[in-house]
Amino acid sequence: MAKKIIVVIGATGNQGSSVANTFLGLPEWHVRALTRNPSSDASELLAAKGAEVVQGDLAEPSSLAKAFENANAIFLNTDFWEVYRPAKAALDAEGKAPEAAGIQAFTNETTNGKNAVDAASAVPTLERFVYSALGSASKVSKGKYTRSLHPEAKATIVSYIEAHPTLSQKASLIYPGAYVTNALLSPRLDPSSGKYAVQMALRADIRMPIINPRESTGSFVRALIEDEAPGTKLLAYDSYLTLSEVVDRWSKASGKEAFYVTVTTKDLHEKMGLPWELLDALDAVNEFGYYDGFGLVEPHQLKKKVQTKSFEEWLGEKDWSKELSG
Ligand SMILES: NC(=O)c1ccc[n+]([C@@H]2O[C@H](COP(=O)([O-])OP(=O)(O)OC[C@H]3O[C@@H](n4cnc5c(N)ncnc54)[C@H](OP(=O)(O)O)[C@@H]3O)[C@@H](O)[C@H]2O)c1
């Protein structure tokens, strides 16, 4: 029997590599990995594992039409930071405010996402489309927090998908939690006190969904494609912990005392120079919760159980003498 084809966009990255690896392990699926650079190490690794690696760019619609031919499923991830970081660095070097970098990255990401949606909607064989989303701080706060454009870019693409007459009928959304590697989950040594701490502008009682994107994304995307009805919006996490529980788990695993210290976004902006692109969404989380009110399905509500490793298991697998020596 002919295999079904899944096209994975972002297959060389954190989330997409997990999706590609999961489907490479399913005999009924053929994995087509889209990349701008088929000769990168990550692309060659995918090819060695059996993926069909195709050259394509979300900015070039003609490359998508070709890459999507005969696809039964498409996983789409879009990125903000690859454009934001160098654009902000260039503005910093000129002594200019960083807001234009956010607008440039927003425009790039939303254009790329819409290109993928338009190309996917023209594929007659397509059965399922999964987009990796983020919730809109602006929407949840009814316009109060609008300065973080990275969640808005993904929310804009979600609205575009939902407004699409045919593709919306095939689409599901995955909302990945904070990555296990996210700085806000990892206490750092404060050389002045000799103690480990996370200093963050989030209340310690905020519950964070946490995911290892390279391990777990694929299992959740498989569930959305094979087990769940289209239209499912999944909050994908391995663990769902308050920030004080995160620090407690880290302390137990590392054997080091650690503290969670809540600071204000104003302090992080004025004293540490962090941009509102990163900070404004944190104020929205403090006031409205991480995904409270989004009506998302959680992993324990999936029709078939998806087993992933918890945050504690991930911490437990680390070589702490190496981790703490850096
Ligand atoms: N950090 C967190 O806690 C967190 C949590 C939830 C969501 N996120 C979101 O996750 C997103 C990044 O996902 P990730 O971590 O999986 O990505 P990543 O590891 O940074 O990799 C980016 C991927 O996107 C592909 N890509 C970028 N631009 C492309 C284009 N124009 N055409 C085709 N492919 C393109 C790259 O492929 P090639 O280079 O091979 O072409 C690469 O595979 C960000 O938008 C971020 O906001 C992050």
Side-chain angles (χ1 to χ4, degrees):
M1 214 173 77
K3 290 187 175 198
K4 290 193 169 202
I5 297 172
I6 179 165
V7 178
V8 181
I9 298 161
T12 57
N14 292 310
Q15 296 178 38
S17 63
S18 174
V19 177
N21 286 328
T22 296
F23 280 83
L24 281 167
L26 301 175
E28 60 278 24
W29 286 92
H30 170 87
V31 174
R32 189 180 290 157
L34 181 122
T35 174
R36 291 164 296 177
N37 180 8
S39 51
S40 71
D41 290 350
S43 298
E44 286 185 356
L45 183 62
L46 285 165
K49 288 179 180 172
E52 175 194 1
V53 176
V54 297
Q55 206 278 334
D57 190 327
L58 289 171
E60 291 168 13
S62 62
S63 71
L64 300 180
K66 196 163 172 346
F68 291 179
E69 265 173 20
N70 301 321
N72 300 96
I74 295 173
F75 169 73
L76 172 66
N77 188 14
T78 52
D79 184 46
F80 182 88
W81 303 106
E82 187 185 288
V83 169
Y84 179 79
R85 288 195 189 99
K88 178 179 179 296
L91 291 165
D92 287 348
E94 292 172 32
K96 291 184 180 160
E99 280 70 26
I103 294 166
Q104 194 182 329
F106 175 93
T107 305
N108 176 73
E109 183 171 2
T110 52
T111 304
N112 285 352
K114 289 173 184 178
N115 285 345
V117 171
D118 291 344
S121 66
V123 178
T125 50
L126 192 71
E127 296 162 49
R128 307 303 296 273
F129 183 87
V130 178
Y131 177 57
S132 178
L134 281 176
S136 161
S138 167
K139 197 169 165 190
V140 78
S141 70
K142 298 194 168 57
K144 182 171 175 186
Y145 297 108
T146 58
R147 289 182 288 181
S148 294
L149 295 186
H150 62 284
E152 304 315 320
K154 289 197 168 45
T156 300
I157 295 165
V158 167
S159 299
Y160 192 74
I161 293 167
E162 288 178 341
H164 200 285
T166 50
L167 197 73
S168 59
Q169 308 299 312
K170 304 173 182 177
S172 297
L173 302 171
I174 179 168
Y175 288 81
Y179 289 2
V180 282
T181 47
N182 197 308
L184 75 88
L185 306 177
S186 184
R188 296 268 174 263
L189 183 64
D190 175 358
S192 60
S193 67
K195 291 178 177 162
Y196 286 85
V198 175
Q199 282 198 25
M200 188 46 66
L202 284 172
R203 295 196 327 261
D205 64 339
I206 291 286
R207 280 182 86 211
M208 294 290 289
I210 301 166
I211 188 167
N212 182 345
R214 289 197 160 259
E215 290 254 338
S216 306
T217 314
S219 303
F220 289 123
V221 170
R222 190 216 56 76
L224 287 174
I225 289 176
E226 292 195 327
D227 305 341
E228 302 295 319
T232 305
K233 300 177 183 187
L234 174 68
L235 179 59
Y237 60 80
D238 303 322
S239 297
Y240 206 175
L241 302 171
T242 66
L243 288 166
S244 47
E245 286 169 338
V246 166
V247 171
D248 183 53
R249 303 294 193 279
W250 185 93
S251 225
K252 284 200 178 87
S254 67
K256 296 285 177 191
E257 206 179 350
F259 302 90
Y260 185 84
V261 184
T262 304
V263 291
T264 64
T265 50
K266 190 166 176 283
D267 273 353
L268 289 179
H269 180 65
E270 289 174 1
K271 295 185 185 150
M272 296 177 70
L274 293 185
W276 287 108
E277 179 56 55
L278 294 174
L279 299 173
D280 213 37
L282 301 182
D283 277 334
V285 171
N286 275 328
E287 205 169 321
F288 300 96
Y290 200 77
Y291 272 119
D292 299 358
F294 276 77
L296 305 180
V297 166
E298 295 190 26
H300 61 88
Q301 295 170 299
L302 290 171
K303 290 197 180 94
K304 288 190 195 163
K305 189 168 170 53
V306 170
Q307 189 67 49
T308 62
K309 276 186 200 166
S310 68
F311 181 57
E312 280 142 300
E313 286 173 282
W314 180 76
L315 290 170
E317 286 173 0
K318 282 185 170 300
D319 176 348
W320 285 100
S321 57
K322 211 162 132 193
E323 289 290 322
L324 298 171
S325 67

